Structures are given as C-alpha cells and as structure tokens.
Amino acid sequence: MRIDVSCFSGHYLVRCLKEEDIPEILELCRKNTLFYQYCPPFVSEETILADMHALPPRKEYKDKYYLGYYEGDRLTAVMDLILEYPDTQTAFIGFFMMEISVQKQGIGSQIIRELCGHLKETGFSAVRLGWVRGNPQAESFWHKNGFVETGVTYDTENYTVIVARKDL
Ligand SMILES: CC(C)(COP(=O)(O)OP(=O)(O)OC[C@H]1O[C@@H](n2cnc3c(N)ncnc32)[C@H](O)[C@@H]1OP(=O)(O)O)[C@@H](O)C(=O)NCCC(=O)NCCS
C-alpha cells in the first residue's frame, strides 16, 4: 500500500526526505541533545543516511516513509514511518523529532493526532513505537498522546527499548 503523505497535515507541507536534505535534518537533530544521551550514538550525516535506509525485518522500501514536515521552507519535524509493521493493521513510528525552537507548543502532539486520524481513515487499527527506558521527554510525550506500554521490551548494547502502542 502507498499512501499520500501530503494529507498527513493540514498545516505543514509533508514530503519524503532525500539524501540532499541530510544537512538540514542534521541541523534539526543535533540540537536535541537529550534524545542522544539516552539513544547514542550522537547524530551525524552517516547515522541519518543509515536511518533513511533502515528497515525492520522482512519489510521493503515501499512501506517506508522517512518524512519531513515543513513550515514554508523550514524543516519542523522528521518522522520515520513504516506501514504494516509488525502486522498489516499496524503502522510503526521508528523516529519522531521536532525542531527544538518550536517544542512545548503542542505542535508535536498535533502532528501525531493528525497522523493517527489519517491512518485510521486509511484502515489501520493501531500505531506502535518504542522509546528508550528512562528518557523522560519521550515517555511523557507518548503517554500524553495516548500510547501505552505493551509489556514488550528489548535490549540493545547501550539501552533498553520500551514498546508501546495506541489503538486507533
Ligand atoms: C518529544 C517531542 C517530539 C515533543 O514535541 P513537542 O512539540 O514539544 O510536543 P508537545 O508540545 O505536543 O508536547 C509536549 C509534551 O512532551 C513532553 N515533554 C517535552 N519536553 C519534556 C521534557 N524536557 N521532560 C519531560 N517531558 C517533556 C511532555 O509530556 C510535554 O507535555 P506538557 O507540556 O504538558 O508537559 C520533542 O520534544 C522532541 O523532538 N524530542 C526529541 C526526540 C524525541 O524524544 N522523540 C520521541 C521519541 S522517538
């Protein structure tokens, strides 16, 4: 299934990001130092390129959307979205980050609310994601937006990921 990402926001221009956008993505990400304290390594052009190409097991590029939300020509948010993962009814947010200068104004929640509404209309019944155990910002944000822990966690070399979901 391909979806029209331009419908994801009533306010922002939403489009798939390309390699030429990496410097602008890096500029947005590198200011979010708290995130990388919990989720090392610190961001670089190489880690962004790797994220652009990263896929969960058994998934194909046709289901991956590495998205930028633009206010005019200004990148405001980055999201990595995988459709139909881990099952056909579920969409998976692999990454979501806001430009730091516009945080705490409700914009992140608005973007997630609109995304969930659109995914529901498209026929999805749940959104799944993970955050690094102990990251207060991520945990509080996803709880505030109605995501609840599934009870599943997994360990990486440097941190533990808590898996959460929201029914649409
Ligand atoms: C998490 C994030 C997307 C929130 O974006 P935002 O536009 O500020 O979100 P909103 O204004 O809609 O919601 C703010 C909520 O986030 C949480 N939050 C934000 N900063 C926080 C902090 N420093 N400590 C604890 N909670 C925090 C709170 O729940 C806050 O709600 P409150 O204002 O009622 O306390 C943004 O802070 C960000 O990009 N962080 C870095 C990346 C990240 O952690 N992404 C999520 C994990 S993938």
Side-chain angles (χ1 to χ4, degrees), residues 8 17 20 40 72 93 96 98 103 114 129 132 134 140 159:
F8 278 7
L17 294 166
E20 68 209 46
I93 299 175
F96 179 56
M98 293 283 305
Q103 288 181 20
E114 280 191 86
L129 50 77
V132 172
S140 174
Y159 50 82

Side-chain angles (χ1 to χ4, degrees), residues 24-38:
E24 202 180 4
I25 301 167
L26 179 61
E27 196 51 31
L28 181 150
C29 292
R30 67 171 189 80
K31 291 175 267 174
N32 279 286
T33 53
L34 181 72
F35 178 83
Y36 298 103
Q37 281 172 32
Y38 289 92

Side-chain angles (χ1 to χ4, degrees), residues 96-98 103-106 108-109 137 140-142 144:
F96 179 56
M97 186 173 277
M98 293 283 305
Q103 288 181 20
K104 296 283 252 172
Q105 298 174 31
S109 298
Q137 189 178 50
S140 174
F141 176 74
W142 292 122
K144 181 176 165 158

Side-chain angles (χ1 to χ4, degrees), residues 91-102:
F92 180 80
I93 299 175
F95 179 75
F96 179 56
M97 186 173 277
M98 293 283 305
E99 157 60 35
I100 203 155
S101 61
V102 296

